Amino acid sequence: MNILVLNCGSSSLKFQIIATDLERIERNADRRLAEGHIERIGGAALISFTAEGRATERSAAPVRDVRAALETVLRWISESDAVEGISSLADIQAIGHRVVHGGEKFKESVIITDEVLRGIEDCIELAPLHNPANIKGITAAREIFGKNVPQAAVFDTAFHQTLPEKSYLYAIPYQFYRRHKIRRYGFHGTSHRYIAYRYRTINNIPRENVNIITLHLGNGCSIAAIKNGNSVDTSMGLTPLEGLVMGTRSGDLDPAIIEFVSGKEGLNVHEVESLLNKQSGLLGISGLTNDMRELIAEAEESGDRRARLAIEIFCYRIRKYIGSYLAAMNGADAIIFAGGIGENSAKIRTLVCQEMNWLGVELDEEKNRTHENGCESVISADSSKVKIGVIPTNEELLIARDTVRLINQK
Ligand code: ADP
């Protein structure tokens, strides 16, 4: 089956076409036939499409909205003979959508029905920036493909629905949870779940024996404590703002800072929240960039003090979280790095893992340095009590596989 995987944001659309079925899943032999993205939707958009084994095609064109973006993608898929095995839209058998917020309603992936769509709409108040764009993508795809092409929703929050109350409740008046559903939901769930799945497959162990800490370090960053195969704690909260230091997000801070900054800088609450989401984190500390690769280059080549500081604070926060999760879980078998930074930066992995030997976490510098990007590997010392590994994440693959499994369950 060819599955179209869609990730629709407010101003961007990312897609992949993945050929997979139950037998291919079993053999881990799924194939990515094409991928691409459209950015700056709503204006002069930047378009980038790549079919397997071919050079990337880049262009710019006005793209009005999510529906127009999807039509642009589908025109390319069906008109160019670039994508192997696909000559028209009829060659796409199902669609899998990434949906950011599933609230407490969606504990796993589901086939999209009118009722499911209403449920996703109900979660808009929890993710006002994300869910509306996801819904637009789903609605456009249903209109274009008709109801005979099954579509699935895979939620960023679903994997963390196993969190116990003690991890998901905030210490604020309980009625705010009851009335407004204010609690920790956690995000990047599809990524943490994929890493846990690969970990148990590589080690050939049952799901309930997976006791690991997973680090998704990309532009957004989060850490999850996975015990007996289930997520039992994670750093992002009601929104993706909480937890680790990220590209432009502050992560944890004293909530009193919001009013303080508001008073000192003459900003309203929305403006302060926007500042914490878009101008903080690595960008805020360094004053230079939210891009870790650039930051490392600045720190190493020009010795920029604030670039160094941003990196130091970023890694220190991760170490504190690892320590607290090791305590909360009564130890873990492994710490796994993933995401653009986690997968590609040996330097960050070194800085995160340093001075944790008391906890039984010891990196093998040579293995870390020679780890080949894109591969799965163990980078801890043989003597390390807690294994350290790198597993490249693949959320799109999991979305495609969930879609196939759901169709086969029907
Ligand atoms: P997103 O969260 O948008 O999916 P990615 O997972 O692609 O983002 O991660 C993007 C981050 O990964 C950026 O900060 C980028 O600089 C960083 N990154 C990618 N490659 C490297 C590298 N070799 N060294 C350090 N950082 C890297």
Side-chain angles (χ1 to χ4, degrees), residues 272-285:
V272 179
E273 197 192 303
S274 167
L275 190 132
L276 296 176
N277 267 299
K278 299 188 185 141
Q279 287 169 49
S280 301
L282 297 175
L283 172 66
I285 301 167

Side-chain angles (χ1 to χ4, degrees), residues 14 188 216-221 247 282 289-296 314 338-348 373 393 395-396:
K14 292 187 197 145
H188 290 148
H216 177 106
L217 307 178
N219 269 316
C221 300
L282 297 175
T289 174
N290 63 326
D291 191 297
M292 183 57 95
R293 207 172 355 190
E294 287 174 20
L295 218 47
I296 292 174
F314 179 88
I341 299 172
E343 291 165 26
N344 300 312
S345 178
K347 182 186 171 83
I348 296 297
N373 291 350
T393 194
E395 292 159 275
E396 293 80 8

Side-chain angles (χ1 to χ4, degrees), residues 27-70:
R27 288 190 293 121
N28 198 26
D30 329 62
R31 246 178 87 195
R32 183 167 63 204
L33 303 179
E35 66 183 313
H37 57 259
I38 300 187
E39 269 154 30
R40 301 197 198 154
I41 294 172
L46 303 174
I47 304 170
S48 165
F49 295 150
T50 314
E52 191 187 30
R54 303 243 188 145
T56 300
E57 298 173 27
R58 288 198 176 84
S59 57
V63 174
R64 201 177 52 250
D65 53 19
V66 172
R67 176 165 179 139
L70 181 57

Side-chain angles (χ1 to χ4, degrees), residues 88 248 252:
S88 76
T248 60
D252 296 339

Side-chain angles (χ1 to χ4, degrees), residues 363-382:
L363 196 71
D364 182 315
E365 277 305 337
E366 178 67 12
K367 286 184 193 158
N368 183 38
R369 208 171 38 76
T370 54
H371 159 78
E372 263 180 62
N373 291 350
C375 296
E376 296 172 330
S377 54
V378 175
I379 54 171
S380 44
D382 293 341

Side-chain angles (χ1 to χ4, degrees), residues 213-290:
I213 292 173
T214 50
L215 281 162
H216 177 106
L217 307 178
N219 269 316
C221 300
S222 69
I223 174 168
I226 300 176
K227 188 162 179 153
N228 302 328
N230 294 324
S231 175
V232 293
D233 211 343
T234 190
S235 56
M236 283 178 165
L238 173 72
T239 77
L241 183 54
E242 196 183 348
L244 304 178
V245 175
M246 312 182 209
T248 60
R249 296 189 194 118
S250 62
D252 296 339
L253 48 72
D254 179 347
I257 289 174
I258 295 174
E259 210 214 322
F260 200 83
V261 170
S262 164
K264 291 281 180 199
E265 297 282 322
L267 302 171
N268 65 34
V269 174
H270 295 294
E271 288 166 333
V272 179
E273 197 192 303
S274 167
L275 190 132
L276 296 176
N277 267 299
K278 299 188 185 141
Q279 287 169 49
S280 301
L282 297 175
L283 172 66
I285 301 167
S286 70
L288 292 172
T289 174
N290 63 326

